[in-house]
């Protein structure tokens, strides 16, 4: 794995997020490499490795695997635990089994992901296993939330450090400059777009994740088709995604 500078939890989470997203977006027939890359990522970072070790404490992998298997009228089900840390321990172990060949991903999908073909089964596997795993990881690693029943309200506040704010400020200023310099905009439209831009930066300063996502979504809709601002807004979006803020 290439050298990556990891200074904060957000940096470490981004490493995980990129790896698990690559696995989710991969085609079923080429999942071996992204699975291996994801597992390597979890030992590459000291923070991620320590976190996985903590998640596995007191968890018997084989017992969790057995407990996850259920059945209804349609066949067998694979039901993840209610604890984020147990989800992480279980799915990480499962991926390790797939990587080493101890268990077969194809057989697992055939048993628990009813669909006409492997591509459809893999989509269900991503929806039912990998996406909840990704969510559990974010909630537990970044916000120390262990119960899946706690919902999103508990992860709506975070601390955005001054370095992040300083690095983001020029991006917001550049977008403001686009609006101020566009004579084709009405004064009302210009004021509204500047208000949204300032509002997004304010939400960033407050560390209000719900507000950040809300204002960013509003800006995305407001800027649809506005080519002049496309690149600058994309820069802001990439910046927010980089620090797991959207």
């Amino acid at each position: 794995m290439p050298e990556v500078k990891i200074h904060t939890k957000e940096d470490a989470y981004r490493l995980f997020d990129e790896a698990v997203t690559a696995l989710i977006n991969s085609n079923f027939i080429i999942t071996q490499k992204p699975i291996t890359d994801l597992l390597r990522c979890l030992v590459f970072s000291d923070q991620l490795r320590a976190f996985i070790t903590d998640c596995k404490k007191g968890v018997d992998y084989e017992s969790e695997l057995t407990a996850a298997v259920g059945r209804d009228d349609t066949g067998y089900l694979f039901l993840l635990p209610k604890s984020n840390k147990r989800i992480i321990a279980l799915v990480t172990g499962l991926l390790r089994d797939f990587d080493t060949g101890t268990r077969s991903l194809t057989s697992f999908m055939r048993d628990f992901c009813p669909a006409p073909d492997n591509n459809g089964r893999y989509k269900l596997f991503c929806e039912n296993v990998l996406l909840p795993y990704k969510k559990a990881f974010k909630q537990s690693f970044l916000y120390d939330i262990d119960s899946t029943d706690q919902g999103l309200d508990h992860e709506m506040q975070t601390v955005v450090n001054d370095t992040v704010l300083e690095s983001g400020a020029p991006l917001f200023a550049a977008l403001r400059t686009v609006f101020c310099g566009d004579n084709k905009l009405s004064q009302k439209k210009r004021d509204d777009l500047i208000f949204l831009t300032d509002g997004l930066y304010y939400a960033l300063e407050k560390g209000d994740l719900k507000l950040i996502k809300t204002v960013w979504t509003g800006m995305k809709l407001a800027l649809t088709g506005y080519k002049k601002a496309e690149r600058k807004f994309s820069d802001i979006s990439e910046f927010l995604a980089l620090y797991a803020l959207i």
Side-chain angles (χ1 to χ4, degrees):
M1 181 173 288
E3 182 180 355
V4 179
K5 291 183 179 179
I6 301 174
H7 302 296
T8 66
K9 263 193 172 185
E10 287 78 10
D11 292 336
Y13 175 77
R14 177 166 53 89
L15 193 70
F16 164 81
D17 185 63
E18 289 174 353
V20 76
T21 300
L23 176 57
I24 290 168
N25 291 338
S26 69
N27 188 292
F28 164 71
I29 61 173
I30 54 171
T31 52
Q32 185 61 52
K33 184 179 185 301
I35 288 175
T36 301
D37 288 345
L38 174 56
L39 294 173
R40 285 177 178 169
C41 144
L42 295 178
V43 299
F44 176 76
S45 159
D46 291 342
Q47 293 183 68
L48 294 177
R49 185 169 61 252
F51 174 68
I52 293 295
T53 299
D54 181 62
C55 288
K56 291 163 63 177
K57 284 181 181 176
V59 175
D60 184 274
Y61 170 61
E62 293 296 337
S63 297
E64 287 290 344
L65 198 58
T66 301
V69 177
R71 188 164 190 172
D72 65 8
D73 295 337
T74 63
Y76 286 102
L77 305 170
F78 190 77
L79 305 171
L80 294 173
K82 291 294 184 181
S83 159
N84 283 329
K85 288 189 175 181
R86 285 167 59 203
I87 289 174
I88 293 161
L90 175 59
V91 178
T92 301
L94 198 57
L95 291 173
R96 187 166 288 110
D97 284 352
F98 295 153
D99 187 51
T100 60
T102 307
R103 284 185 171 84
S104 164
L105 175 56
T106 303
S107 298
F108 180 92
M109 294 192 309
R110 188 173 58 244
D111 291 339
F112 301 113
C113 306
D117 55 38
N118 279 334
N119 287 330
R121 293 181 192 117
Y122 186 66
K123 182 178 180 182
L124 287 176
F125 175 71
C126 291
E127 291 174 355
N128 298 333
V129 178
L130 292 182
L131 286 172
Y133 174 62
K134 179 181 178 181
K135 179 180 178 182
F137 209 104
K138 179 178 181 180
Q139 287 187 337
S140 190
F141 183 69
L142 289 181
Y143 309 114
D144 200 26
I145 298 171
D146 189 45
S147 173
T148 58
D149 292 331
Q150 284 183 261
L152 296 177
D153 289 344
H154 294 269
E155 56 174 286
M156 288 298 102
Q157 291 293 138
T158 189
V159 176
V160 180
N161 65 47
D162 291 341
T163 302
V164 174
L165 289 171
E166 288 172 9
S167 62
L171 303 178
F172 287 85
L175 185 58
R176 265 178 138 269
T177 299
V178 171
F179 302 144
C180 291
D182 188 354
N183 294 326
K184 292 185 178 180
L185 290 175
S186 67
Q187 188 60 49
K188 176 69 166 59
K189 181 72 170 179
R190 182 182 296 108
D191 290 343
D192 286 347
L193 291 175
I194 290 174
F195 180 77
L196 280 173
T197 305
D198 292 345
L200 184 55
Y201 191 75
Y202 171 78
L204 190 63
E205 287 181 312
K206 300 293 285 185
D208 189 327
L209 298 183
K210 187 173 183 178
L211 185 57
I212 290 170
K213 186 65 179 288
T214 299
V215 180
W216 174 80
T217 301
M219 287 195 72
K220 182 171 68 169
L221 294 173
L223 294 176
T224 299
Y226 185 20
K227 297 295 184 183
K228 288 185 178 181
E230 195 173 80
R231 181 64 260 172
K232 302 301 183 186
F233 182 65
S234 178
D235 289 342
I236 289 175
S237 298
E238 289 174 7
F239 164 77
L240 295 175
L242 179 69
Y243 291 100
L245 296 171
I246 57 172

